[in-house]
C-alpha cells in the first residue's frame, strides 16, 4: 500500500514523442489534509471512513488468504496428477514388457524382441524429450 508512479516515453524517427504518466495510490485512507477538511465538514464522516477502511483491509486479507488457499489446492492437485501419471506410465511399461515376454515364450521371438525393444526405445525417447521441455 503505497504510491507508485510510472512514466513511459515513446519516440519515433521523426522526432514525435509520446509521454504517459501514471500515478497509482492504493492507500486505504486519504491524506491527513483531506481528513482534516472532511472533519471540518462533518464530524460523523471520520468514524465512517475508519469503519470502511477496516472493512476494506479485512476484505483484502480475506482475498489474499483465498488466493493462497486456491494456489495450495492447485499445487496439491498438480502433485497428485504427476504421481498418478508416473504410476500409470510404470504400469503401462510393465504391461508392454510382459506382453513381449509372453510373445517370446509363445515362440514368436522376433516379434517379442521387437516389441520389447520398441518399448525401451519409447521410454528412452520420452525421457529425453521431456528433459528438453
Amino acid at each position: 500500500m503505497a504510491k507508485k508512479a510510472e512514466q513511459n516515453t515513446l519516440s519515433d524517427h521523426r522526432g514525435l514523442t509520446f509521454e504517459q504518466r501514471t500515478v497509482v495510490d492504493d492507500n486505504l485512507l486519504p491524506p491527513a489534509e483531506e481528513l482534516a477538511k472532511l472533519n471540518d465538514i462533518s464530524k460523523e464522516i471520520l468514524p465512517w471512513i475508519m469503519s470502511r477502511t477496516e472493512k476494506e483491509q479485512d476484505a483484502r486479507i480475506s482475498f489474499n488468504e483465498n488466493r493462497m488457499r486456491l494456489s495450495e489446492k492447485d499445487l496439491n492437485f498438480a502433485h497428485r496428477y504427476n504421481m498418478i501419471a508416473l504410476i500409470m506410465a510404470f504400469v503401462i511399461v510393465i504391461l508392454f514388457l510382459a506382453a513381449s515376454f509372453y510373445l517370446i515364450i509363445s515362440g514368436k521371438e522376433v516379434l517379442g524382441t521387437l516389441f520389447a525393444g520398441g518399448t525401451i526405445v519409447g521410454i528412452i525417447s520420452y525421457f529425453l524429450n521431456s528433459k528438453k521441455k
Side-chain angles (χ1 to χ4, degrees):
M1 291 192 290
K3 190 178 276 192
K4 177 185 168 190
E6 183 178 302
Q7 181 175 352
N8 298 319
T9 305
L10 179 67
S11 299
D12 68 354
H13 64 280
R14 294 175 289 175
L16 198 65
T17 304
F18 175 74
E19 283 189 23
Q20 177 187 20
R21 283 191 191 158
T22 307
V23 178
V24 176
D25 187 7
D26 69 344
N27 287 325
L28 296 176
L29 287 173
E33 301 84 28
E34 285 185 35
L35 286 175
K37 290 177 186 176
L38 290 171
N39 193 31
D40 291 341
I41 294 172
S42 172
K43 300 289 183 193
E44 299 168 357
I45 199 157
L46 282 182
W48 181 82
I49 289 175
M50 295 301 288
S51 71
R52 296 303 302 168
T53 303
E54 288 174 7
K55 288 178 183 178
E56 174 70 22
Q57 183 64 27
D58 291 342
R60 286 184 183 197
I61 290 171
S62 174
F63 177 75
N64 287 334
E65 286 174 351
N66 289 338
R67 277 186 21 187
M68 290 298 289
R69 199 172 313 118
L70 284 174
S71 176
E72 186 178 338
K73 283 182 181 180
D74 185 47
L75 188 63
N76 287 338
F77 174 77
H79 179 69
R80 272 189 249 121
Y81 178 81
N82 288 338
M83 288 302 293
I84 289 171
L86 191 60
I87 290 169
M88 293 302 291
F90 180 73
V91 168
I92 290 171
V93 166
I94 293 298
L95 288 174
F96 274 47
L97 291 177
S100 67
F101 181 72
Y102 174 74
L103 287 172
I104 291 172
I105 293 223
S106 65
K108 300 175 183 166
E109 291 89 11
V110 175
L111 185 60
T113 304
L114 288 175
F115 201 70
T119 302
I120 297 207
V121 168
I123 295 167
I124 291 171
S125 67
Y126 173 76
F127 280 118
L128 291 176
N129 287 335
S130 65
K131 273 233 175 212
K132 291 178 186 176
K133 293 178 186 176

